[in-house]
Amino acid sequence: MVLNGDVATVKVTTVGLLNGSPHLMHIPAGGLGLCPPASAARLHNGHLAISTGNGIKFYGPPLVSLTLRGDTSARSNLAFSRFPAVGAITYQRVVTVSPAVASLIHENNAVVVIHGIDYDGSGTYDNVLGPSDLAPQFTGDSTAPALCGHLASSQTVASAQGSKATIYTASLTPTSLAGSDQAVGSALQCHVPGFGTDSGEVSPVGDNA
């Protein structure tokens, strides 16, 4: 992401998400500025997973919705039809953020979260995790965070207009349940086995049960 004043040019690239199902993408901020650790996982419908509600105290509420079109504010945080619905996302959009959001990003208090996990490998968002803790008409699978990465400033560059813009990147590290008080010996991964670490991606926090 390149942030120049209140204008953010955002690029997102993913691999291995559930294909054919929409993935909510947000920039949350105002929490601890962190992605949730393994210890944030709780039982949902009898299954251990990190829900958005479990993670929100770490990364804060969604303040920017990375939609394909239309509104990009928090009002669109559940507008499923306007988010990418592919597993390999290649996204780019210029969005305007509020001065308050720009300030939180500059303070390194923002993250990127991409939602939607195939918890049981069924090939769809089913009700294995029960209803979403964001809105009961949606399933927990569809709103659970799949990928999360802290937005960290990497460099400042001069823009074409002569002002200074800051480049932010989010890179990913897998999270494991090992050592948590709910440890079951499995990794808190997205549904792709062996998903690795690569600069520029975002960290898997779903469950590959």
Side-chain angles (χ1 to χ4, degrees), residues 76-177:
S76 293
N77 69 324
L78 291 173
F80 280 89
S81 64
R82 291 193 285 115
F83 287 94
V86 294
I89 297 170
T90 301
Y91 173 93
Q92 181 171 341
R93 190 172 182 191
V94 177
V95 301
T96 300
V97 301
S98 71
V101 171
S103 179
L104 287 167
I105 294 172
H106 282 305
E107 293 168 6
N108 290 314
N109 188 257
V111 305
V112 175
V113 177
I114 302 176
H115 302 258
I117 62 173
D118 182 9
Y119 188 96
D120 59 355
S122 65
T124 186
Y125 295 149
D126 48 29
N127 205 36
V128 67
L129 296 179
S132 168
D133 51 11
L134 296 183
Q137 66 267 37
F138 303 118
T139 68
D141 294 52
S142 67
T143 62
L147 308 174
C148 178
H150 175 252
L151 275 171
S153 58
S154 59
Q155 60 179 307
T156 300
V157 296
S159 70
Q161 293 76 29
S163 58
K164 289 186 177 181
T166 305
I167 299 175
Y168 292 83
T169 58
S171 58
L172 102 141
T173 51
T175 303
S176 172
L177 283 177

Side-chain angles (χ1 to χ4, degrees), residues 55-79:
I56 200 167
K57 73 175 183 179
F58 296 95
Y59 45 66
L63 301 181
V64 181
S65 300
L66 299 178
T67 56
L68 295 169
R69 60 190 180 278
D71 176 62
T72 58
S73 73
R75 293 187 297 272
S76 293
N77 69 324
L78 291 173

